[in-house]
Amino acid sequence: MKKYISKLIIGVPIVLLLIALALSNREHKTYALSEGFNSYLKPIPSDFETTLIANTEANDSIFFPSTLEDFAIRKLLIFKTFPDENEVKTDFTIELYPTNKALLKDNKAFLTFEIVNDAVLFNHKKKTYGVFKLPLPLIDIEKLVIKNKIKRKIDKPWESVLLLPFKPLDESKTLSNAKQNDIEKKPTLFTSLFTKQLKQYEIKYLPSYLEANNNKVSRFYESIDDFILTNKASLVKITRPKGFWNKFNKKDKTLLKQIEFTGERSKDAEALFDKYLNEDFAFELVFDINKLALYNALKPIFSEDCPAAAYFIYNEDKGILEPFHTTSNCPKEKTLTYLKASEIKDQNYLQVYASAVDEVSQIDLKATLIKDNIEFKNEMALINNKDPKHVFDFDLIRANQRVLSKSLNPSTALKSELISIDKNRMILSVFNTSNYAIDILELSHKNKKTITKLNPGVQIASNVKDTIVINLPRSFENLFVSKKKKVVGFILPRHIYELNMKYRISGVNKTYASSIIPYQKMDEVDDDLFRTPAYINNHKNIVVDDKKKEISFSKDSVVVSAPLVIQKNYTFKLKPGTIVNIIEGGKIISHAPLQFIGTAENPIKVYSSDQRGQGLLVLSEQRRSTLKHVVFDQLRNPTHGSWGVTGAVTFYESPVDLEFIEVKNNKCEDALNIVRAEFTMNQVAISNTQSDAFDGDFVKGTISNCQFDYLGNDAIDVSGSDLIIRNVIISNAGDKGLSAGENSKMTIDTVEISNSEIAVAGKDLSVVDAKNLKISNTKLGFTAFQKKPEFGPSNITVNGISMTGIETKYLIESSSSLFVDNQKIETTQNVKDRMYGVEFGRSSAETRNTPQ
């Protein structure tokens, strides 16, 4: 008995010790998993870095607050080291206790602010930080009490108190005394910054000042009449600017009714418009286009682009009109979502305007306008001591600058479509979709090699479509080599994707590359597929209902053995049970949206009994198609002369909803191809494909409850797209199950991938966010890398994954990243060189050329 007790006394502590060690290791393991350092993120801003608590190690598992003050800029910052998905979405309530109790209303003890935006992720010293931001008013503050909002039962309450977070402010005084004729306006916070920047560009404006009285602060502007008298100025007032510029662009003489001239030199100003309307007088001889461009570029940054009227001041020395800023009708500061197209359409002006947008989007406004600006700080304090909820947020100004910058960097500013090509020349239809004129510079190869320069370059105005002819050098054919077949020469369906049109925004130096789309045929020849009347509604069983605007077949079973083109302004409608047999190179091109509605008992079937039918191309010009219970079988891609598409079923700039669809046994590169359109796919099955199952180019859509099986290449392959994928099963993919390329965003939930080469691939600035994945019997689980030099690395995040029978789980390039359940996966070099049939996967060229 004593021996047993002795063993028990010795054994229990040992067992407890082992349990403690196990728990310690478990906790350490969980902590380590959360410490995945994401090198793909940006480094933390320098001003945030200085506010980090000196020793953050003790705060790694909790939130910790700090404050930032830089003249008029005040922020509360809340940090979280290695935040998980839920922590990034935490909301906070902030109780602000002001020193001046007069700011409190309804017997409240504090002012309430909230943080409801997600944390922004940054890197700092091998740690990833989530940072929450809140701008704060310029008032004296006794303390801040920060609390997290409890959203779930498992959330733990957190609270922190910052006492005297800022130094006391100097007492703000009234800045001026209002005059009898002055114009009173509710103050916006950016006005004095805007006028200060105008002054740096020597653009004149109406002087203003703030004054506090009783319970409010007002901005008073000098009256325009007083300004004219004091400065002996001559002004031009445009009463309705939008309508004025529309008439000015057209040289419509009725625009004079919208102009008021005031001042000693009114006749001289009026003469400028008379010359413009009646003589060959250039825009830049009426207006100072440099100052006007800068003025119009600056207004949206500072939320001052809501004028009731536009003013110009006559420059006597130059004999020209310059912009003159008076007041704005914008009720408050606002965030731009996009930059509107210029109302002025003069091409010389637009070129200067693009240059001005480029310049002002890059100005360091904090350094030039806010640093050491005591007057502006006093203005903000004056406003906040009457209205503490009207807070200056410098981030809003920077966001507006980024919108301007983005307007000069659109993802698809130039749309280039092939019309025809032979050994000597290429003819393209080019469409400028941007707000600026575009200079087309050259035709280049994908490896950035110049094929031929356009000399002189071609300028395309905003929202204008034009046709250009490019003379090809003798060396053109030598660029395209098939090592497998040992032949040289350009093959349209394969090599058109290797060509780019190089261009730039007129007035801006940065150059871009636009791919060429092989979808158009405009040669004026007898065999013009799109314009020869013989092809329009070319079938004896076609029925055209002009009253309902519908086109259909009169029989339930038809054979299409020649090109059939369905005209636009109708709907192409098939009823349940319809069978369409496309043979002998026949094809269907529909400029009308499709209404193919079958049933489970009587599906619609479109097939090729001789396996030579060329499938379906929809060009409905953004009119939406609906297909339900339809089977596509044994189809090839439509081609005609030098023209061709890659998909057996293709929707080009034609949105579509697909439900209970089957695409199988196609004899071409893509079974289903959607280009530049929105779509939904539900209960779609694609099987036995020669190459890719679904290929999406610049699309936005949802793929749910779908199956992909026995595929020559990829199951789902997208570029420049935004995709949501839910409840999808992929098996026997010859290359990739899911492939996101060229700046795509792919959100994945509950997907099974089995018996395939590669499960998930992210390329060229794409972001893949996945959860609940099941991967089995694949050669490679995940890969992320940069394929094309004009793009960048890729990022994949996965939470909840099961992997069995995987030869190589991860192949991640050093500049890209993969996080699996919050753990960063080790990277490697030269990933691209190991892909595309070299070590992993299968090249698309290999599957394209597979005999069928």
Side-chain angles (χ1 to χ4, degrees):
M1 187 66 179
K2 290 181 180 179
K3 187 181 290 187
Y4 173 77
I5 294 172
S6 176
K7 287 181 179 180
L8 188 63
I9 293 171
I10 297 172
V12 169
I14 293 174
V15 171
L16 292 174
L17 179 61
L18 290 173
I19 292 172
L21 287 171
L23 289 173
S24 175
N25 289 334
R26 182 181 174 186
E27 289 175 1
H28 179 73
K29 185 177 181 181
T30 303
Y31 180 73
L33 284 173
S34 69
E35 284 194 0
F37 177 69
N38 188 351
S39 59
Y40 190 68
L41 298 173
K42 294 180 180 180
I44 202 164
S46 57
D47 52 352
F48 287 14
E49 182 180 356
T50 58
T51 64
L52 281 171
I53 296 174
N55 181 10
T56 62
E57 294 297 331
N59 296 292
D60 277 354
S61 60
I62 59 172
F63 300 102
F64 56 97
S66 187
T67 56
L68 179 152
E69 184 168 22
D70 190 358
F71 286 87
I73 300 173
R74 272 187 177 180
K75 289 180 184 176
L76 169 67
L77 302 175
I78 302 174
F79 297 89
K80 175 66 183 70
T81 314
F82 301 114
D84 61 28
E85 185 177 350
N86 291 316
E87 289 169 335
V88 165
K89 298 181 180 299
T90 304
D91 294 341
F92 298 90
T93 299
I94 291 86
E95 299 172 0
L96 187 153
Y97 293 79
T99 302
N100 180 9
K101 304 305 178 186
L103 295 175
L104 300 172
K105 297 179 180 179
D106 301 326
N107 297 319
K108 292 186 177 179
F110 52 81
L111 299 168
T112 302
F113 294 83
E114 292 185 334
I115 298 177
V116 294
N117 293 326
D118 292 355
V120 181
L121 300 179
F122 299 103
N123 284 336
H124 180 63
K125 293 183 177 179
K126 296 298 181 181
K127 290 184 179 182
T128 296
Y129 287 91
V131 183
F132 301 87
K133 301 178 291 182
L134 176 72
L136 293 173
L138 259 72
I139 59 176
D140 287 326
I141 301 172
E142 292 179 356
K143 66 177 178 179
L144 296 170
V145 179
I146 307 110
K147 302 176 182 179
N148 66 326
K149 291 185 178 181
I150 304 300
K151 299 179 181 179
R152 305 170 305 161
K153 291 181 179 180
I154 62 172
D155 291 340
K156 296 180 180 179
W158 170 83
E159 179 178 324
S160 184
V161 178
L162 296 176
L163 298 174
L164 298 175
F166 302 103
K167 294 179 180 179
L169 294 166
D170 294 333
E171 184 179 352
S172 295
K173 299 178 181 179
T174 301
L175 302 182
S176 187
N177 294 313
K179 300 176 184 177
Q180 184 175 359
N181 297 327
D182 286 355
I183 306 164
E184 183 179 4
K185 290 272 189 178
K186 186 176 180 179
T188 55
L189 302 179
F190 301 160
T191 297
S192 63
L193 298 179
F194 177 48
T195 53
K196 184 177 180 180
Q197 188 62 46
L198 291 179
K199 186 175 182 180
Q200 292 182 15
Y201 282 128
E202 298 182 347
I203 297 173
K204 292 182 171 60
Y205 55 89
L206 198 63
S208 67
Y209 53 87
L210 290 180
E211 183 173 277
N213 53 58
N214 299 327
N215 296 320
K216 68 174 183 177
V217 176
S218 298
R219 180 169 291 278
F220 287 89
Y221 293 84
E222 182 178 344
S223 75
I224 293 174
D225 291 339
D226 287 348
F227 179 86
I228 292 172
L229 290 173
T230 304
N231 297 276
K232 297 182 179 181
S234 297
L235 296 183
V236 173
K237 179 183 179 182
I238 311 298
T239 54
R240 295 188 299 277
K242 187 173 183 180
F244 169 83
W245 288 118
N246 185 41
K247 292 180 178 181
F248 193 92
N249 296 327
K250 300 175 182 177
K251 290 200 171 186
D252 184 341
K253 294 182 181 181
T254 61
L255 64 83
L256 293 172
K257 296 179 181 180
Q258 295 176 228
I259 307 176
E260 297 177 9
F261 299 94
T262 312
E264 296 178 358
R265 303 296 294 270
S266 294
K267 294 296 182 183
D268 295 327
E270 191 172 356
L272 293 174
F273 290 98
D274 183 67
K275 290 179 180 180
Y276 177 77
L277 293 171
N278 298 294
E279 302 176 19
D280 187 15
F281 205 63
F283 182 93
E284 56 264 34
L285 297 178
V286 181
F287 298 101
D288 185 325
I289 61 174
N290 292 299
K291 288 187 178 180
L292 182 57
L294 285 166
Y295 176 65
N296 286 331
L298 284 168
K299 283 192 297 181
I301 293 178
F302 296 100
S303 304
E304 292 278 344
D305 55 342
C306 310
Y311 284 84
F312 293 88
I313 189 167
Y314 183 73
N315 186 317
E316 297 181 13
D317 296 331
K318 297 180 179 179
I320 202 168
L321 294 174
E322 298 179 355
F324 178 68
H325 181 69
T326 55
T327 64
S328 170
N329 281 347
C330 295
K332 60 181 181 178
E333 305 77 33
K334 60 182 180 181
T335 303
L336 286 177
T337 53
Y338 66 96
L339 184 64
K340 297 177 182 177
S342 171
E343 296 171 346
I344 305 170
K345 302 305 179 184
D346 180 82
Q347 292 304 307
N348 289 338
Y349 168 81
L350 288 174
Q351 185 168 329
V352 175
Y353 176 64
S355 179
V357 169
D358 186 43
E359 179 178 338
V360 302
S361 67
Q362 298 181 59
I363 300 174
D364 185 349
L365 293 175
K366 184 186 288 187
T368 58
L369 299 182
I370 298 175
K371 185 176 175 60
D372 300 323
N373 191 343
I374 300 300
E375 182 180 357
F376 176 67
K377 183 176 181 180
N378 287 340
E379 282 190 1
M380 296 304 99
L382 186 68
I383 291 172
N384 286 160
N385 273 285
K386 297 294 183 181
D387 185 1
K389 288 299 186 81
H390 194 182
V391 181
F392 173 62
D393 187 0
F394 179 72
D395 287 349
L396 193 152
I397 292 177
R398 284 292 300 121
N400 291 345
Q401 279 189 292
R402 287 192 290 271
V403 171
L404 261 67
S405 180
K406 177 64 177 176
S407 76
L408 293 171
N409 298 274
S411 56
T412 54
L414 182 68
K415 187 169 73 173
S416 305
E417 299 181 337
L418 181 68
I419 296 174
S420 66
I421 185 171
D422 57 35
K423 292 184 178 181
N424 300 313
R425 68 176 189 170
M426 175 185 292
I427 302 177
L428 298 175
S429 169
V430 290
F431 180 36
N432 176 4
T433 65
S434 77
N435 292 339
Y436 309 94
I438 280 179
D439 296 326
I440 302 178
L441 306 174
E442 65 180 51
L443 175 70
S444 61
H445 193 249
K446 66 177 183 179
N447 59 11
K448 294 191 175 182
K449 181 178 180 180
T450 298
I451 296 173
T452 184
K453 291 183 180 293
L454 276 63
N455 191 13
V458 177
Q459 186 173 95
I460 309 294
S462 171
N463 290 306
V464 167
K465 180 180 283 189
D466 202 353
T467 301
I468 63 172
V469 178
I470 302 172
N471 294 318
L472 300 174
R474 291 183 180 180
S475 59
F476 176 72
E477 293 282 322
N478 296 331
L479 288 169
F480 310 98
V481 180
S482 174
K483 295 180 180 179
K484 184 175 181 180
K485 293 190 174 184
K486 298 182 179 179
V487 294
V488 175
F490 179 82
I491 302 172
L492 178 64
R494 277 183 55 192
H495 296 138
I496 190 66
Y497 300 100
E498 300 179 14
L499 301 179
N500 291 313
M501 294 305 301
K502 196 172 182 180
Y503 69 94
R504 68 183 172 210
I505 303 293
S506 296
V508 181
N509 291 327
K510 188 175 180 181
T511 59
Y512 303 89
S514 166
S515 58
I516 298 174
I517 307 167
Y519 294 114
Q520 216 177 70
K521 174 76 177 178
M522 294 177 61
D523 285 8
E524 294 182 2
V525 296
D526 293 337
D527 199 29
D528 186 337
L529 176 63
F530 296 100
R531 290 159 188 81
T532 301
Y535 291 137
I536 306 297
N537 301 336
N538 179 30
H539 200 282
K540 62 182 180 181
N541 297 123
I542 279 288
V543 177
V544 179
D545 188 329
D546 290 320
K547 187 175 181 180
K548 293 182 178 179
K549 287 294 181 182
E550 291 179 353
I551 294 175
S552 58
F553 289 117
S554 60
K555 292 185 176 181
D556 293 340
S557 180
V558 297
V559 176
V560 177
S561 58
L564 169 59
V565 178
I566 305 298
Q567 67 195 85
K568 63 181 180 180
N569 300 323
Y570 287 78
T571 298
F572 186 23
K573 193 170 184 178
L574 296 185
K575 61 184 179 180
T578 300
I579 298 175
V580 181
N581 184 10
I582 306 177
I583 63 171
E584 299 175 0
K587 59 186 73 66
I588 299 176
I589 312 296
S590 180
H591 294 281
L594 310 183
Q595 197 77 11
F596 288 8
I597 308 296
T599 64
E601 296 78 19
N602 292 294
I604 294 168
K605 184 175 182 180
V606 182
Y607 79 110
S608 177
S609 61
D610 66 356
Q611 300 183 26
R612 293 171 58 196
Q614 291 188 9
L616 177 67
L617 168 62
V618 181
L619 303 165
S620 66
E621 298 181 348
Q622 299 302 332
R623 294 180 64 195
R624 200 171 194 95
S625 296
T626 302
L627 285 77
K628 191 171 184 179
H629 291 291
V630 182
V631 177
F632 296 97
D633 190 12
Q634 300 279 8
L635 298 175
R636 295 181 180 272
N637 56 308
T639 61
H640 198 77
S642 62
W643 169 90
V645 295
T646 60
V649 180
T650 300
F651 292 85
Y652 176 65
E653 293 188 345
S654 305
V656 60
D657 296 313
L658 303 164
E659 188 172 13
F660 297 104
I661 305 299
E662 188 175 357
V663 187
K664 58 185 179 180
N665 306 314
N666 71 292
K667 307 298 180 182
C668 55
E669 184 174 340
D670 302 322
L672 173 63
N673 185 203
I674 301 178
V675 183
R676 301 177 191 273
E678 293 186 358
F679 74 94
T680 63
M681 290 170 56
N682 182 40
Q683 298 287 353
V684 173
I686 302 179
S687 61
N688 296 314
T689 68
Q690 178 181 329
S691 188
D692 291 348
F694 169 70
D695 191 302
D697 301 301
F698 306 103
V699 297
K700 183 176 183 180
T702 302
I703 300 176
S704 56
N705 307 306
C706 296
Q707 288 187 307
F708 302 83
D709 194 13
Y710 291 104
L711 318 171
N713 225 55
D714 300 338
I716 299 174
D717 181 17
V718 293
S719 60
S721 301
D722 190 343
L723 215 60
I724 296 174
I725 302 171
R726 302 191 193 98
N727 300 315
V728 167
I729 297 175
I730 298 168
S731 59
N732 301 291
D735 194 3
K736 295 174 282 291
L738 302 174
S739 178
E742 297 184 16
N743 202 19
S744 291
K745 180 182 179 183
M746 188 179 281
T747 304
I748 305 163
D749 186 2
T750 313
V751 171
E752 295 183 15
I753 303 172
S754 63
N755 301 305
S756 302
E757 276 284 303
I758 303 164
V760 180
K763 311 184 295 292
D764 297 332
L765 286 177
S766 293
V767 176
V768 178
D769 188 357
K771 62 181 180 180
N772 303 322
L773 294 186
K774 184 178 181 181
I775 301 173
S776 62
N777 302 321
T778 66
K779 190 172 182 180
L780 174 61
F782 294 87
T783 183
F785 59 97
Q786 178 179 345
K787 179 183 178 184
K788 299 181 179 180
E790 62 268 31
F791 288 92
S794 185
N795 174 253
I796 302 176
T797 303
V798 185
N799 288 291
I801 182 171
S802 167
M803 289 197 290
T804 57
I806 314 299
E807 289 187 27
T808 303
K809 288 186 177 181
Y810 313 117
L811 187 63
I812 310 299
E813 197 170 57
S814 55
S815 58
S816 296
S817 66
L818 168 64
F819 283 81
V820 177
D821 294 330
N822 295 322
Q823 182 178 14
K824 186 176 187 299
I825 302 304
E826 185 178 349
T827 60
T828 186
Q829 300 289 334
N830 303 320
V831 171
K832 177 185 173 182
D833 296 338
R834 300 171 64 182
M835 302 297 293
Y836 301 100
V838 177
E839 185 176 343
F840 297 99
R842 191 180 186 195
S843 68
S844 56
E846 183 182 347
T847 55
R848 278 190 210 109
N849 298 320
T850 301
Q852 295 292 321

